[in-house]
């Protein structure tokens, strides 16, 4: 699935099985035909936007309370409607760092026991594909990404319900952190793993900021 599709589309961060951050305004964005009216609806909210000349549109939803009940979001344009289902509202955490964050649960001591017990439908997992610079953060591809290190493809860019099958390649630190938070708070947890082994702090910093530092 491309990062930006033709016609009416929404950023690939917004998918079936995702978690939205509770108690905060939520910005939703995507693309449509220039001057096309777009309506985003969820729960009792209906928010409108008009696509700019570059096709981009953006709306901001009012804060939503935590919800373990699946929600449905619709994005309606002039001639098309997109439907995103099985959405939970809770806490979303971004996992960043090097190889110690990237290290998968399947490779740690007693990881097989953690995996076997990972039937946790209120936890959702997302591992975006490797970035293409800061210009690509508005959306990303959904694909099976080749790893030269592991010599196989990994599913990237899809929100996944946490199960023993989907958690195997996920960050060990990130998963255990999310599981403990879920047990303590009893709210849905979304984990977005953006870690990349061997990266330096400069690679996580926008070029303009790096160049402004003496």
């Amino acid at each position: 699935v491309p990062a930006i599709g033709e016609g009416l589309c929404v950023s690939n961060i917004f998918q079936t099985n995702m978690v939205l951050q509770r108690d905060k305004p939520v910005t939703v964005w995507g693309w449509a035909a220039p001057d096309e009216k777009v309506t985003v609806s969820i729960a009792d909210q209906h928010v409108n936007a008009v696509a700019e000349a570059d096709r981009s549109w953006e709306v901001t939803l009012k804060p939503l309370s935590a919800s373990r009940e699946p929600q449905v979001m619709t994005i309606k344009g002039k001639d098309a409607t997109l439907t995103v289902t099985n959405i939970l509202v809770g806490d979303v955490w971004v996992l960043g760092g090097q190889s110690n964050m990237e290290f998968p649960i399947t490779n740690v001591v007693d990881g097989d026991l953690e995996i076997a017990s990972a039937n946790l439908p209120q936890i959702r997992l997302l591992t975006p594909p490797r970035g293409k610079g800061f210009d690509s953060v508005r959306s990303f591809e959904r694909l099976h990404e080749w790893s030269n290190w592991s010599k196989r493809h990994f599913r990237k860019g899809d929100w996944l319900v946490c199960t023993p099958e989907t958690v195997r390649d996920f960050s060990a630190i990130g998963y255990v952190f999310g599981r403990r938070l879920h047990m303590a708070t009893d709210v849905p947890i979304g984990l977005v793993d953006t870690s990349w082994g061997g990266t330096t702090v400069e690679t996580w910093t926008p070029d303009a900021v790096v160049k402004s530092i003496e």
Side-chain angles (χ1 to χ4, degrees), residues 16-31:
T16 290
N17 299 327
M18 69 177 171
V19 177
L20 293 177
Q21 178 60 47
R22 61 171 170 160
D23 302 331
K24 299 285 185 181
V26 175
T27 301
V28 180
W29 64 90
W31 295 266

Side-chain angles (χ1 to χ4, degrees), residues 42-65:
I42 186 171
D44 296 324
Q45 297 191 47
H46 308 277
V47 186
N48 299 320
V50 176
E52 303 287 347
D54 63 359
R55 298 185 56 219
S56 65
W57 57 264
E58 181 177 295
V59 303
T60 300
L61 302 171
K62 296 178 181 178
L64 299 164
S65 299

Side-chain angles (χ1 to χ4, degrees), residues 4-120:
I4 301 175
E6 298 180 358
L8 176 67
C9 63
V10 66
S11 171
N12 281 333
I13 194 70
F14 303 103
Q15 298 175 29
T16 290
N17 299 327
M18 69 177 171
V19 177
L20 293 177
Q21 178 60 47
R22 61 171 170 160
D23 302 331
K24 299 285 185 181
V26 175
T27 301
V28 180
W29 64 90
W31 295 266
D35 297 323
E36 182 175 357
K37 180 183 177 181
V38 177
T39 303
V40 177
S41 302
I42 186 171
D44 296 324
Q45 297 191 47
H46 308 277
V47 186
N48 299 320
V50 176
E52 303 287 347
D54 63 359
R55 298 185 56 219
S56 65
W57 57 264
E58 181 177 295
V59 303
T60 300
L61 302 171
K62 296 178 181 178
L64 299 164
S65 299
S67 175
R68 298 167 60 92
E69 295 299 319
Q71 306 283 324
V72 176
M73 176 187 291
T74 61
I75 300 100
K76 181 177 176 58
K78 179 181 178 181
D79 300 314
T81 300
L82 309 177
T83 303
V84 183
T85 62
N86 199 25
I87 301 168
L88 303 180
V89 183
D91 289 330
V92 181
W93 295 85
V94 176
L95 314 173
Q98 297 182 309
S99 53
N100 57 349
M101 179 65 82
E102 188 178 34
F103 202 71
I105 189 72
T106 190
N107 290 346
V108 302
V109 175
D110 292 331
D112 56 337
L113 298 178
E114 290 284 0
I115 291 169
S117 62
N119 285 299
L120 297 166

